[in-house]
Amino acid sequence: MEHIRLPKVENVKLLDRISHRRRRVGTLYLTATHTIFVESEAGVRNETWVLHSLVCSVDKLAATPSGCPLLIHCKNFQVLHFIISKEQECHDIHLSLQRLSQPGDYDELYCFAYKPNVDEKERRQEWDFLDLKADYSRMGLPNSLWKLSPVNQHYKVSDTYPADLFVPESATPPVIVGSSKFRSRGRFPALSYYCKDNHAAICRSSQPLSGFSARCLEDEQMLEAILRSNPRSDFMYVVDTRPKLNAIANRAAGKGYENEDNYSNIKFQFVGIENIHVMRNSQQKMLEVCELRSPSMSDFLEGLESSGWMKHIKAVLDAGIFIAKAVAEEGTSVLVHCSDGWDRTSQVCSVACVLLDPYYRTLRGFMVLIEKDWVSFGHRFSHRCKHLVGDPKEVSPIIDQLLECVWQLMEQFPCAFEFNERFLIAIHNHVYSCQFGNFIGNNQRERIELRVHERTHSLWSYLWANRTDYTNPLYRPNHSQTQGLLRASTSPYSFKFWKGLYNRFDHGMHPRQSVEDYLRAIQEETQQLEEQLTSHTQVGQGYADQPQKEDLSDHIFSFTLTYVVFT
Amino acid sequence: MIMEFAELIKTPRVDGVVLHRPFMPTVEGTLCLTGHHLILSSRQDNTEELWLLHSNIDSIEKRFVGSLGHITVKCKDLRMIQLEITGMEECLNIASSIEALSTLDSVSLMYPFFYRPMFEVIEDGWNSFLPQNAFKDLESMTDEWRLSEVNKDFSLCPSYPPLVAVPKDVDDETLKKVATFRHGGRFPVLSYYHKKNGMVMMRAGQPLTGTNGRRCKEDEKLINATLRPGKRGYIIDTRAINVAQQAKARGGGFELEANYPQWRRIHKAIERYNVLQESLIKLVEACNDQSHSMDRWLSKLEASNWQTNVKEILTTACLAAQCIDREGASVLVHGTEGTDSTLQVTSLAQIILDPGCRTIKGFQSLVEREWLQAGHPFQQRCAQSAFSNSKPRYEAPVFLLFLDCVWQILRQFPCSFEFNESFLVLLFEHAYASQFGTFLGNSAAERARLCLPEKTVSLWSWVNRPQELERLTNPLYEPNSLVIWPSVAPQSLLLWEGVFLRWNRSSKCLDEAYEEMVHIIEYNKELQTKVNSLRRQLAQLETEDPLLHTP
């Protein structure tokens, strides 16, 4: 509370983003966790709540005759434009919010203060909702080809990797440790996905420390072990998700990529996804376009093009498709890496999984996927999402791009996903909100140190409890579209602009009637009708069972017939 | 066969022709040319055959690899198909016949004059939307308008229908004078009456003020007659102010404030027809670009200006609707001729304002009133589509843009239209090539001269049959009596995939989603019927039940 210089300001105007002439007048409150604007017009109790942890930037603009503008940009793309009449008040709010929205310490994060009305036992159960080992056993692991390795217990080999990892059966601890010493941050090749139908696997790692000529026997053995764990295949792909130039530049720093001559039976491939800095700048430019107040079509399309955002989304999806096809169609295993193996690698592995396996297109499956390829494999959520004050160069919308790739796929395959757009947006919101403990810290080791499982709530069980809101009414598990590999198009015209996320709070831009809500209402009604039908037919059965059957009129006779037809 | 055709068909039949089409397996078969169709038959059961109207062919390209000829047929519905014909002579003959048959000049040789319906006409579409019937509806709401026969022989205005609605207090003599003051004789007539507040929308051609500011008292009287006492109206000029200024030099112009003090003039910039044709050509080119570069696609999409045109037209229509519904003011819309952008605006404003226009019949009636009767020159505008090699003269996708705008509103209000996207696509196809006579000719006068109602079948006769209606009905429809305001933000306006990407990407998954949606709704209805009938039967049982227990 010590950061709140001014808890309440009256007579504040909240401007409509599109039409500044439309404005609401009310009172602004600062609490320890939220900024709250309460509209003061008679008869309305309209409140806008914004979590401090969702605030991305607070800007005080030059004062105007009507007051001092304060612009708040949120990580969920909400933009609030307040006018505060007194400059001093605006100044105080500005300073308070700047401090409140940039905690210096994990303990200040909202998840540690968020206490919904749930008892401790239930809270602990929330964390048992998802079990990654169950997902690996769903894949058929461990088996004769892949084993669970204890090598990274206590994070001894790689402190950014999870403790439990699957590796090829033939990979011995010395090979793994040797390989890890030849990989950035010790992130040795480990299993991400195994296709039990044809034994092809997706493995992931960081870049090799190959420089211009360095070799590592254990690393070469490690790749060979991966290849051997796919008995029907005589080669494997190594996919470097970076642009070739970036990878070459890394060689000068003693890092780099695999030399095909040193590894037996690998096919090496660059897929050209740009780095976190390019992605950050690209999204920034794209958001500037979204924020234009009344852009012409050309402003919008030119801005979108020059932001490069759609091009990057396409690159990620293209890479995912390459890997999914290698696994599903060629039965070939793939090792994926970028530099550290926690950004592009996470994106590409999870996009490939969504394309390959219908399970990851279900509500629970998608949560498992994020838990597996992002949370457990050490995507640096707290750095990328700027949960704490820190280096702005570490911030990047890598997870946004995954969610968008999935959304693009949902647009192409409307029946293939159990969840809906709202589900993706909810995940996006909470990756940034810090309301739940799931994404706090940068890796498993940090979350254990923070005792996240003991002190916070889990997003996954919250989403699951509200799953009716997140279910796609068009999904049918047995629909042909739901089965097998999704053959997505990446022709440029197949990509759409995701206004549902980036213009999420511009309600006027969205369809005024939702087909999905309409269908959901119909399905609920259908369910009630089914229940009524059952109960009515039971009542009818009751009549039919009465002993005076010989007295039944023709009418009743015909009724029992109807019942027979129903059942 | 008619002699004209026989002369054009040098090789009526070629065997062993291979056909490649989007999303369909390659077929080998016999190619036949008739006067109106290009037919490919594999002579096998269960095999798709090609029946393509020559009038649907926009352009063809031929090339040879040895003696194997490849003909690419580019259609007005934007489909592209390839034919492989062995034998140079046969190929050249076929190509030249297709070229000749697809560019016949004489309207009377068009297919609709030869087409005999293979279906039972339940309701003759030529009589479905008579102006006198539309006027009866108007009369039930107001007595301030009359139906004038001043143009019954098309002499006053060749592009107007014989009957037009005008203010009751304005006599035919006045109309005659006004007609001389408006482009093409298109004096202001009623386009729409807003029942909610009695405001109206009128449309006209530009006033012929010329450089010296000619005025016409009768014109002023006519449009002032539509204003309520003390009220102002809006004139929406669909041209940018500088374009309207330039029109003066050619005898046209716009209403000067001094002469029309009760009217406020607003200029909007909707493009003219030749610019729109360029835009369509560029858009289709962008959609068919084989490069996989996102930058290239976005910049070509932007450069085509198609989406800009959609936005501009929709914005203007919203403005007109806003003046009427929100400002409570009457509106006069015109551009230059009053046959293109004017109709886009008046018809879209009605979609926004009038729930009746969002039904299948209501939309047909709107197309009939605001496009066909209102004199949109369909035959000129739709003579060529995006692939034509010849320099466009009067061609322009004015109507297609209108349909695109309707589709945009439909996307934003998916439950407020009785029809679905297929209906809009169908209208696009038939406007460019059809077995029906509906879109032939450029005006009511031409259609009368061609005796279309007697000699051809109306598209509406075919559409308004249960099996067609079922296909075109939106399962989500729930009548919505409100005014529907679409968003015109660039983020809200999408590329109309159903037309522009129709042949580039498979729509299988989207079609399946549509079927799934239909299934969900049908199943619900089915259950409702069952539950209702069970309820009735149970209620009856309950009343009969005591009798059962009577000893």
mmCIF file of all heavy atoms in Angstrom, chain B residues 523-539:
data_model
loop_
_atom_site.group_PDB
_atom_site.id
_atom_site.type_symbol
_atom_site.label_atom_id
_atom_site.label_comp_id
_atom_site.label_asym_id
_atom_site.label_seq_id
_atom_site.Cartn_x
_atom_site.Cartn_y
_atom_site.Cartn_z
ATOM 1 N N TYR B 523 -31.427 -30.890 -35.272
ATOM 2 C CA TYR B 523 -31.644 -31.866 -34.194
ATOM 3 C C TYR B 523 -32.458 -31.232 -33.078
ATOM 4 O O TYR B 523 -33.367 -31.853 -32.527
ATOM 5 C CB TYR B 523 -30.290 -32.371 -33.684
ATOM 6 C CG TYR B 523 -30.401 -33.358 -32.547
ATOM 7 C CD1 TYR B 523 -31.114 -34.549 -32.703
ATOM 8 C CD2 TYR B 523 -29.793 -33.100 -31.328
ATOM 9 C CE1 TYR B 523 -31.213 -35.456 -31.661
ATOM 10 C CE2 TYR B 523 -29.890 -34.008 -30.281
ATOM 11 C CZ TYR B 523 -30.608 -35.181 -30.453
ATOM 12 O OH TYR B 523 -30.707 -36.070 -29.418
ATOM 13 N N ASN B 524 -32.154 -29.973 -32.785
ATOM 14 C CA ASN B 524 -32.898 -29.255 -31.763
ATOM 15 C C ASN B 524 -34.376 -29.148 -32.143
ATOM 16 O O ASN B 524 -35.265 -29.389 -31.340
ATOM 17 C CB ASN B 524 -32.272 -27.862 -31.579
ATOM 18 C CG ASN B 524 -33.053 -26.993 -30.632
ATOM 19 O OD1 ASN B 524 -33.993 -26.320 -31.034
ATOM 20 N ND2 ASN B 524 -32.682 -27.014 -29.361
ATOM 21 N N LYS B 525 -34.616 -28.813 -33.405
ATOM 22 C CA LYS B 525 -36.003 -28.657 -33.872
ATOM 23 C C LYS B 525 -36.746 -29.982 -33.797
ATOM 24 O O LYS B 525 -37.908 -30.037 -33.396
ATOM 25 C CB LYS B 525 -36.020 -28.139 -35.311
ATOM 26 C CG LYS B 525 -35.737 -26.655 -35.392
ATOM 27 C CD LYS B 525 -35.958 -26.145 -36.802
ATOM 28 C CE LYS B 525 -35.524 -24.699 -36.908
ATOM 29 N NZ LYS B 525 -34.999 -24.372 -38.218
ATOM 30 N N GLU B 526 -36.042 -31.014 -34.184
ATOM 31 C CA GLU B 526 -36.630 -32.347 -34.176
ATOM 32 C C GLU B 526 -37.067 -32.722 -32.759
ATOM 33 O O GLU B 526 -38.179 -33.187 -32.536
ATOM 34 C CB GLU B 526 -35.534 -33.303 -34.655
ATOM 35 C CG GLU B 526 -35.978 -34.624 -35.200
ATOM 36 C CD GLU B 526 -34.740 -35.393 -35.633
ATOM 37 O OE1 GLU B 526 -33.995 -34.897 -36.526
ATOM 38 O OE2 GLU B 526 -34.483 -36.451 -35.051
ATOM 39 N N LEU B 527 -36.179 -32.467 -31.797
ATOM 40 C CA LEU B 527 -36.499 -32.785 -30.414
ATOM 41 C C LEU B 527 -37.667 -31.954 -29.916
ATOM 42 O O LEU B 527 -38.535 -32.450 -29.196
ATOM 43 C CB LEU B 527 -35.286 -32.533 -29.514
ATOM 44 C CG LEU B 527 -34.195 -33.582 -29.502
ATOM 45 C CD1 LEU B 527 -33.170 -33.235 -28.432
ATOM 46 C CD2 LEU B 527 -34.775 -34.963 -29.207
ATOM 47 N N GLN B 528 -37.666 -30.686 -30.334
ATOM 48 C CA GLN B 528 -38.754 -29.810 -29.902
ATOM 49 C C GLN B 528 -40.089 -30.371 -30.363
ATOM 50 O O GLN B 528 -41.052 -30.422 -29.593
ATOM 51 C CB GLN B 528 -38.557 -28.412 -30.495
ATOM 52 C CG GLN B 528 -38.144 -27.424 -29.444
ATOM 53 C CD GLN B 528 -37.678 -26.119 -30.043
ATOM 54 O OE1 GLN B 528 -37.798 -25.900 -31.257
ATOM 55 N NE2 GLN B 528 -37.147 -25.270 -29.223
ATOM 56 N N THR B 529 -40.131 -30.802 -31.603
ATOM 57 C CA THR B 529 -41.362 -31.363 -32.140
ATOM 58 C C THR B 529 -41.772 -32.594 -31.342
ATOM 59 O O THR B 529 -42.936 -32.753 -30.972
ATOM 60 C CB THR B 529 -41.150 -31.759 -33.612
ATOM 61 O OG1 THR B 529 -40.390 -30.741 -34.230
ATOM 62 C CG2 THR B 529 -42.455 -31.955 -34.341
ATOM 63 N N LYS B 530 -40.809 -33.451 -31.064
ATOM 64 C CA LYS B 530 -41.124 -34.676 -30.327
ATOM 65 C C LYS B 530 -41.650 -34.360 -28.940
ATOM 66 O O LYS B 530 -42.659 -34.926 -28.502
ATOM 67 C CB LYS B 530 -39.860 -35.539 -30.198
ATOM 68 C CG LYS B 530 -39.553 -36.348 -31.428
ATOM 69 C CD LYS B 530 -38.324 -37.200 -31.175
ATOM 70 C CE LYS B 530 -37.923 -37.942 -32.445
ATOM 71 N NZ LYS B 530 -36.619 -38.613 -32.259
ATOM 72 N N VAL B 531 -40.954 -33.462 -28.243
ATOM 73 C CA VAL B 531 -41.367 -33.131 -26.885
ATOM 74 C C VAL B 531 -42.761 -32.518 -26.887
ATOM 75 O O VAL B 531 -43.613 -32.878 -26.071
ATOM 76 C CB VAL B 531 -40.339 -32.188 -26.214
ATOM 77 C CG1 VAL B 531 -40.905 -31.589 -24.937
ATOM 78 C CG2 VAL B 531 -39.057 -32.935 -25.925
ATOM 79 N N ASN B 532 -43.008 -31.632 -27.834
ATOM 80 C CA ASN B 532 -44.324 -31.000 -27.902
ATOM 81 C C ASN B 532 -45.419 -32.033 -28.135
ATOM 82 O O ASN B 532 -46.464 -31.995 -27.487
ATOM 83 C CB ASN B 532 -44.360 -29.942 -29.008
ATOM 84 C CG ASN B 532 -43.599 -28.703 -28.576
ATOM 85 O OD1 ASN B 532 -43.353 -28.513 -27.385
ATOM 86 N ND2 ASN B 532 -43.205 -27.885 -29.534
ATOM 87 N N SER B 533 -45.154 -32.958 -29.038
ATOM 88 C CA SER B 533 -46.212 -33.923 -29.329
ATOM 89 C C SER B 533 -46.405 -34.867 -28.138
ATOM 90 O O SER B 533 -47.518 -35.233 -27.802
ATOM 91 C CB SER B 533 -45.919 -34.678 -30.630
ATOM 92 O OG SER B 533 -45.255 -35.878 -30.362
ATOM 93 N N LEU B 534 -45.303 -35.188 -27.473
ATOM 94 C CA LEU B 534 -45.431 -36.014 -26.270
ATOM 95 C C LEU B 534 -46.232 -35.313 -25.190
ATOM 96 O O LEU B 534 -47.084 -35.907 -24.530
ATOM 97 C CB LEU B 534 -44.045 -36.323 -25.711
ATOM 98 C CG LEU B 534 -43.449 -37.678 -26.043
ATOM 99 C CD1 LEU B 534 -42.100 -37.814 -25.373
ATOM 100 C CD2 LEU B 534 -44.370 -38.795 -25.576
ATOM 101 N N ARG B 535 -45.949 -34.008 -25.058
ATOM 102 C CA ARG B 535 -46.658 -33.222 -24.042
ATOM 103 C C ARG B 535 -48.156 -33.239 -24.309
ATOM 104 O O ARG B 535 -48.957 -33.425 -23.408
ATOM 105 C CB ARG B 535 -46.172 -31.773 -24.078
ATOM 106 C CG ARG B 535 -44.946 -31.566 -23.245
ATOM 107 C CD ARG B 535 -44.798 -30.082 -22.892
ATOM 108 N NE ARG B 535 -43.470 -29.861 -22.371
ATOM 109 C CZ ARG B 535 -42.626 -28.957 -22.844
ATOM 110 N NH1 ARG B 535 -42.994 -28.174 -23.847
ATOM 111 N NH2 ARG B 535 -41.436 -28.819 -22.321
ATOM 112 N N ARG B 536 -48.482 -33.040 -25.577
ATOM 113 C CA ARG B 536 -49.907 -33.043 -25.937
ATOM 114 C C ARG B 536 -50.534 -34.386 -25.594
ATOM 115 O O ARG B 536 -51.606 -34.467 -25.021
ATOM 116 C CB ARG B 536 -50.066 -32.758 -27.433
ATOM 117 C CG ARG B 536 -50.168 -31.269 -27.760
ATOM 118 C CD ARG B 536 -50.718 -31.064 -29.153
ATOM 119 N NE ARG B 536 -49.967 -31.798 -30.167
ATOM 120 C CZ ARG B 536 -48.839 -31.350 -30.719
ATOM 121 N NH1 ARG B 536 -48.348 -30.181 -30.365
ATOM 122 N NH2 ARG B 536 -48.207 -32.072 -31.627
ATOM 123 N N GLN B 537 -49.812 -35.447 -25.941
ATOM 124 C CA GLN B 537 -50.364 -36.776 -25.704
ATOM 125 C C GLN B 537 -50.504 -37.061 -24.210
ATOM 126 O O GLN B 537 -51.495 -37.641 -23.773
ATOM 127 C CB GLN B 537 -49.472 -37.832 -26.357
ATOM 128 C CG GLN B 537 -49.481 -37.697 -27.858
ATOM 129 C CD GLN B 537 -48.677 -38.781 -28.542
ATOM 130 O OE1 GLN B 537 -48.402 -39.804 -27.949
ATOM 131 N NE2 GLN B 537 -48.306 -38.540 -29.783
ATOM 132 N N LEU B 538 -49.501 -36.602 -23.447
ATOM 133 C CA LEU B 538 -49.579 -36.817 -22.002
ATOM 134 C C LEU B 538 -50.751 -36.069 -21.402
ATOM 135 O O LEU B 538 -51.481 -36.600 -20.562
ATOM 136 C CB LEU B 538 -48.281 -36.369 -21.338
ATOM 137 C CG LEU B 538 -47.168 -37.402 -21.308
ATOM 138 C CD1 LEU B 538 -45.925 -36.795 -20.680
ATOM 139 C CD2 LEU B 538 -47.598 -38.636 -20.522
ATOM 140 N N ALA B 539 -50.917 -34.818 -21.854
ATOM 141 C CA ALA B 539 -52.022 -34.013 -21.339
ATOM 142 C C ALA B 539 -53.335 -34.733 -21.613
ATOM 143 O O ALA B 539 -54.219 -34.812 -20.750
ATOM 144 C CB ALA B 539 -52.012 -32.643 -21.997
#
